[in-house]
Structure formats: C-alpha cells, structure tokens
Amino acid sequence: MAESKAHKVTLIPGDGIGPEVTQAVVRILEATGVRFEWERFAAGAEAFEIFGEYIPAALYQSIERNGVALKGPVATPIGGGFKSINVTLRKRFDLFANFRPIKNLPGLETHWPGVDLIIVRENTEGEYLGLEHEVVPGVVEAIKVITEKGSTRIAKFAFEYARKHGRKKVHSIHKANIMKLSDGLFLRCARQVAEGFPDIFYGEHIIDNTCMQLVMNPYQYDTLLLENLYGDIVSDLCAGLVGGLGLVPGANLGVNCAIFEAVHGSAPDIAGKDIANPTALLQSAVLMLRHLNEEAAADRVHKALETVYAERKTLTRDVGGTAGTSQFADAVLKAMG
Ligand code: NAI
C-alpha cells in the first residue's frame, strides 16, 4: 500500500509552558501513524533574540504555504512592549472565527457535570485592534471597531456550525445597552443572520448577566456568539466550569488557514517544571486532526485521553493528580495501545 502523504504543519512551541506541552502533544500525534512534517518556529521574545523580529518572515511564509499551524502560547508584555503575537497572527491570516468547545472530561468532578458549550468568538475586530492613543497626558482613548462584514460573517459561522452539528440555540452576548452603536451593530447583524436559520433558537443576553447565568446554570446555553473581548473573558470563565484552563482547546479559523491553540496562556508561574497539563493543546490537536480529515486518528487520541481521565491514575496537578506533563503524555500513549 502506498504511504499516505505527510501533512506539513507549522509548529510554534511558544514560551512559558508552551515547549513542554507542545513536546508532549507532538509525541502523541506522531504515535497516531499520521505522518507530519513539522516546520518549527520561535515567535515573540525568543524570536526577537535570535532573528531580531518578533514574527520571523519565514514563519509567516510557512503558515501561508501550509495553511495549518499548531501553536503553543506566546507571552505578551503587560502595559507596554511588543504587540501580541497571537493577535497579530490572527489578524494577518484573517482568522476571523475563534472556536472553543467547552466540555467535561470523564472522571473529573466539577460543580456542573455534562457541560457542553460552544464559544464562537469574533477574532479580528473590537478592542483587539489595539487602537489606543494618549489625547493629552492623563487621558487615553481606545477605539473599538465593529463592522457589518465582520459581525455578519462570525454570526454566519456560529449558525452554520450550530445547524451542521445539530445544536439548538445561539445566544449573542453583548453590552448594547451601553455600547449602543458598536454592540448594536453586532446584534443587528446577528439578528439578520438568525432569520435564515428558523430551526435554531436565537437569544440575546447582556454580558454581565451572562457571566452570572453561566456560573448558576450553564445548561441554559448551547452556542455563544461573542465579540472579541467578551469572547476572551467568557472563554476563561467557561474553562473554569469544566476544570480549568489546562483542558480547553481552541481553533482560529479563516478561509484559507487555521491555527490551533489552547485557550490558556504561557503560565509563567508553572513553566519549566514539567507540571503543566498538555490536555488543552492535545484537544486543540484533535481539532486539527479533524480539520486535516484524519478522523480516525482524532477519535483514537480523544478516546485515549478520555480513558486516562476516567481511570484517574495519571492526572496533572491542576486537576487533582500528581503526574508531570511527560508522565501524562506517556499515559495517553499507553491508552492508545
Ligand atoms: P495563563 O492562561 O497563562 O495562566 C492562568 C492560570 O492558569 C495560571 O495559574 C496557570 O498556571 C494556569 N494554567 C494555564 N494553563 C495551564 C496548563 N496547561 N496546565 C496547568 N495550569 C495551567 O494566563 P496569564 O497568567 O494571565 O497569562 C500569561 C501569559 O500568557 C501572558 O503573557 C499572556 O499575554 C499570555 N497569553 C497568551 C495566550 C496565547 O498565546 N494564545 C492566551 C492567553 C494569555
């Protein structure tokens, strides 16, 4: 039988816990039998030290060529310094949909079992454009940009996903009582798109109330449609519902390109200790396998992951275990058989 062609994937290990979780995930992916050709790149502060650029030109070219990247977290300096590498890549490749499924894993006791939420976050607009300036000393303006095109395409993404996957409800989460024009436009676009999907319930909730509703009763929601900043914040809240940031995956999706990365950041507080949980990046890699039409391998990794959680013998500290990152990866490899 002819050997299947290798998938060329751009790999950005990132910094903080990035290299540790990436290494664990690459080991597992390579054990699936699917062939990968990794094009590995540094980004952020590390890349600047080596190449004098935060995002080397060769990294852009690699993503453009391959159309698929697996990315660890990259730290962004607070209150100054260089622009977020993550935001820059999303913008550069027009990865307008940030898709984050939130689901419990077996064997993990949480306040709410059986949570099954989809977060669809607009990924290229809003406050994330970073349009800030000092008007006079002591006064700073930040500009939030919401467009009809951007709002309509993310609403379409949410509804099309919901219909394709048999989901019943989409809620737009907003603050249009205060941001009357910007969030108002986002809602108008979502309502218009909703008219084309009469089979799916459409609701609207204000963001602050939504946070309370999510911690009181997450079952009332199904698919959440949010602007960029709201989606960022609500993602972490929802991660907390199912056991924390160590678990929740994500995909940045555009028309020609996709970057798969966990919801979490570089976790400097636990970096370099081999204690980070690689589950979130591994679940992002499962999304990548499905994107590459490697369904059997995706199912195999996901099943092994569920087995390790259900057995509860080799879990990392963030979810109540004592295992290290690499030990956890060993357990997943063993469960894959
Ligand atoms: P964080 O997500 O890195 O960490 C928040 C908390 O969750 C920490 O206590 C951390 O130890 C824990 N945590 C995160 N991932 C974990 C894992 N896999 N296993 C176990 N525990 C885990 O958020 P923080 O501290 O606010 O940000 C740190 C840096 O990461 C910042 O520079 C930020 O800009 C960057 N960041 C990068 C992202 C990306 O590359 N997409 C996303 C979010 C933040």
Side-chain angles (χ1 to χ4, degrees):
M1 208 169 70
E3 250 196 357
S4 61
K5 227 172 129 222
H7 296 286
K8 286 192 180 174
V9 175
T10 307
L11 184 69
I12 306 166
D15 38 36
I17 60 169
E20 304 162 58
V21 292
T22 306
Q23 194 190 12
V25 169
V26 166
R27 271 174 66 211
I28 294 166
L29 286 177
E30 291 194 331
T32 60
V34 174
R35 291 175 54 233
F36 292 97
E37 227 175 85
W38 303 107
E39 293 182 5
R40 202 176 288 254
F41 288 93
E46 189 196 349
F48 191 77
E49 258 179 42
I50 309 169
F51 306 106
E53 287 173 302
Y54 291 105
I55 305 181
L59 169 53
Y60 281 130
Q61 288 155 9
S62 170
I63 298 178
E64 210 155 282
R65 246 190 344 264
N66 299 333
V68 186
L70 182 64
K71 178 183 162 298
V74 178
T76 310
I78 293 175
F82 62 88
K83 261 192 161 179
S84 160
I85 302 306
N86 317 306
V87 174
T88 306
L89 289 174
R90 292 168 191 170
K91 192 89 189 96
R92 165 74 179 245
F93 293 104
D94 200 19
L95 305 174
F96 68 92
N98 194 330
F99 170 78
R100 294 171 161 179
I102 312 279
K103 237 179 151 169
N104 294 85
L105 280 159
L108 271 194
E109 259 186 48
T110 56
H111 196 67
W112 300 107
V115 170
D116 182 7
L117 292 165
I118 299 292
I119 290 184
V120 175
R121 164 186 174 189
E122 202 293 321
N123 219 16
T124 55
E125 300 192 341
E127 293 85 346
Y128 271 69
L129 293 183
L131 297 175
E132 296 182 312
H133 57 266
E134 191 176 58
V135 182
V136 290
V139 182
V140 168
E141 272 182 3
I143 298 169
K144 160 168 166 168
V145 177
I146 298 293
T147 68
E148 187 178 335
K149 180 179 167 233
S151 305
T152 302
R153 69 177 175 173
I154 195 66
K156 273 193 184 147
F157 178 95
F159 276 95
E160 280 165 5
Y161 178 87
R163 181 178 275 169
K164 191 166 170 206
H165 294 86
R167 304 192 73 102
K168 305 282 177 246
K169 298 189 263 189
V170 173
H171 278 87
S172 279
I173 308 305
H174 67 93
K175 191 77 187 173
N177 49 332
I178 305 298
M179 313 277 168
K180 293 177 194 294
L181 286 183
S182 52
D183 288 17
L185 174 59
F186 187 82
L187 284 186
R188 267 207 318 283
C189 295
R191 282 176 204 152
Q192 209 160 19
V193 172
E195 280 175 18
F197 294 82
D199 46 320
I200 294 165
F201 171 86
Y202 174 65
E204 294 172 353
H205 281 177
I206 293 178
I207 176 82
D208 35 351
N209 173 36
T210 304
C211 292
M212 189 269 294
Q213 297 291 344
L214 276 165
V215 295
M216 297 286 286
N217 174 16
Y219 306 128
Q220 65 188 294
Y221 296 113
D222 176 329
T223 301
L224 299 174
L225 168 62
L226 308 101
E227 288 171 21
N228 209 337
L229 181 61
Y230 305 152
D232 178 43
I233 296 166
V234 170
S235 293
D236 278 31
L237 187 157
C238 288
L241 294 175
V242 296
L245 280 167
L247 308 174
V248 177
N252 301 286
L253 305 168
V255 176
N256 300 315
C257 175
I259 300 182
F260 296 84
E261 66 177 338
V263 170
H264 65 71
S266 59
D269 52 336
I270 57 165
K273 299 179 180 161
D274 190 43
I275 57 173
N277 190 345
T279 302
L281 189 64
L282 185 58
Q283 298 218 75
S284 310
V286 169
L287 295 176
M288 182 182 83
L289 285 170
R290 298 201 192 285
H291 176 83
L292 295 170
N293 289 320
E294 297 288 359
E295 289 289 339
D299 289 344
R300 194 166 153 223
V301 173
H302 193 247
K303 214 167 144 239
L305 186 69
E306 288 198 325
T307 304
V308 172
Y309 273 91
E311 286 175 356
R312 293 203 55 81
K313 282 195 298 217
T314 320
L315 297 182
T316 47
R317 292 167 198 219
D318 56 311
V319 287
T322 54
T325 311
S326 34
Q327 245 179 313
F328 177 85
D330 290 341
V332 175
L333 285 166
K334 193 162 162 235
M336 281 165 66

